[in-house]
């Protein structure tokens, strides 16, 4: 049953996800494409985690944070993609009220956590380039663990605010979500109660995390740029900047897409464009991150060559 009588209201017990398209041929093509992207995402990020764990040359704070970022990318993709794939195979994809709540909370958790990890990685690069002599002290094991724990706690707070906001919204009418997952904007459109408080709570939590992390990243890279420009050696400047390019690329992709989805006025783009941008954030970027860090990082490329060489010669 999709509805449940509750006093004067009929509460929604499940939602219908409209997905990306109704065209059967296009659905089959998209199923194959998205399945391949998801498999590459999981394989690429698991390979990154495994390589960092088995390579003693990568046991540094930067790669410790990168392994957690890879775990988060798997989480972001897995919170949305399996259900999306099911949507391509069935005529009408439904998700329960509880399932929608879990999916929405998971997306908030992993999204907030990725923001915080990107900020932590920017701070790590700031310390490494601006205070290289104190790097081993300022980024000791205890500090790294504290930064990771703080990031996970921040993600948990984002998920808590999102879940509580979702549970406070009353759904008693239409239950068709014009999206491929339970996102906040299409859910608000289905509400039959006052959504002022949930909107304020979600906006505050998302805004606070975004502003904090953007501030940390901006300040970190401002000092990094100043330090690099003061270097007399051209080779030193190139080496310092090369350690930041992969992270800067990941930050640009993630925040660039997020700004279009959650900051730009909804009237400036259509629902279909929103879906495409959401695919970029939940599927494409998690797939690209391990490629960005492996292809643009000499330490990871070196570790890959060493381990592949051992496998071949053994």
């Amino acid at each position: 049953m999709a509805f449940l009588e509750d006093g004067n209201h009929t509460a929604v017990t499940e939602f219908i996800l409209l997905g990306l398209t109704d065209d059967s041929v296009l659905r089959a093509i998209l199923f194959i494409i998205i399945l391949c992207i998801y498999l590459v995402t999981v394989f690429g990020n698991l390979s990154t985690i495994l390589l960092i764990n088995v390579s003693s040359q990568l046991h540094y704070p930067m790669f410790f944070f990168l392994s957690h970022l890879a775990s988060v990318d798997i989480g972001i993709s897995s919170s949305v993609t399996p259900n999306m794939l099911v949507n391509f195979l069935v005529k009408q994809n439904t998700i329960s009220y509880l399932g929608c709540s879990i999916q929405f909370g998971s997306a908030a958790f992993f999204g907030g956590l990725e923001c915080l990890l990107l900020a932590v990685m920017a701070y790590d690069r700031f310390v490494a380039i601006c205070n290289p002599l104190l790097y081993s002290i300022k980024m000791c094991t205890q500090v790294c663990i504290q930064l990771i724990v703080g990031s996970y706690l921040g993600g948990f707070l984002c998920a808590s605010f999102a879940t509580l906001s979702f549970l406070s919204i009353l759904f008693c009418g239409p239950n068709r979500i014009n999206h491929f997952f339970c996102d906040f904007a299409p859910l608000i459109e289905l509400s039959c109660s006052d959504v002022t408080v949930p909107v304020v709570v979600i906006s505050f939590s998302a805004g606070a995390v975004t502003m904090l992390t953007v501030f940390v990243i901006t300040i970190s890279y401002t000092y990094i740029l100043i330090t690099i420009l003061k270097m007399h050696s051209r080779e030193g400047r190139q080496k310092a900047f090369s350690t930041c390019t992969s992270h800067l690329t990941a930050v640009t992709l993630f925040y660039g897409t997020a700004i279009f989805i959650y900051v730009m006025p909804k009237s400036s783009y259509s629902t279909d464009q929103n879906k495409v941008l959401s695919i970029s954030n939940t599927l494409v970027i998690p797939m690209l991150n391990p490629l960005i860090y492996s292809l643009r990082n000499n330490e990871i490329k070196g570790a890959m060559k060493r381990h592949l060489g051992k496998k071949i010669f053994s």
Side-chain angles (χ1 to χ4, degrees), residues 107-175:
F109 172 76
F110 289 116
L113 180 54
E114 177 132 356
C115 287
L116 293 165
L117 283 176
L118 288 173
V120 166
M121 293 173 76
Y123 173 73
D124 171 72
R125 292 298 82 208
F126 158 72
V127 177
I129 294 173
C130 299
N131 297 284
L133 298 178
L134 298 175
Y135 182 72
S136 59
I137 298 173
K138 288 191 173 184
M139 297 302 294
C140 63
T141 302
Q142 183 180 1
V143 172
C144 291
I145 292 174
Q146 288 173 348
L147 289 170
I148 285 294
V149 170
S151 298
Y152 277 87
L153 287 175
F156 176 75
L157 284 175
C158 289
S160 299
F161 285 130
T163 304
L164 290 173
S165 297
F166 174 85
L167 295 176
S168 68
I169 299 172
L170 180 62
F171 301 99
C172 55
N175 66 332

Side-chain angles (χ1 to χ4, degrees), residues 173-224:
N175 66 332
R176 300 169 68 86
I177 300 175
N178 189 15
H179 216 302
F180 58 85
F181 77 105
C182 293
D183 198 12
F184 189 63
L187 282 171
I188 286 296
E189 295 176 1
L190 303 180
S191 171
C192 57
S193 61
D194 184 19
V195 295
T196 303
V197 174
V199 168
V200 169
V201 170
I202 291 291
S203 300
F204 174 79
S205 61
V209 170
T210 303
M211 290 179 64
L212 173 64
T213 54
V214 168
F215 176 77
V216 171
I217 292 169
T218 303
I219 294 298
S220 296
Y221 276 105
T222 299
Y223 278 101
I224 287 171

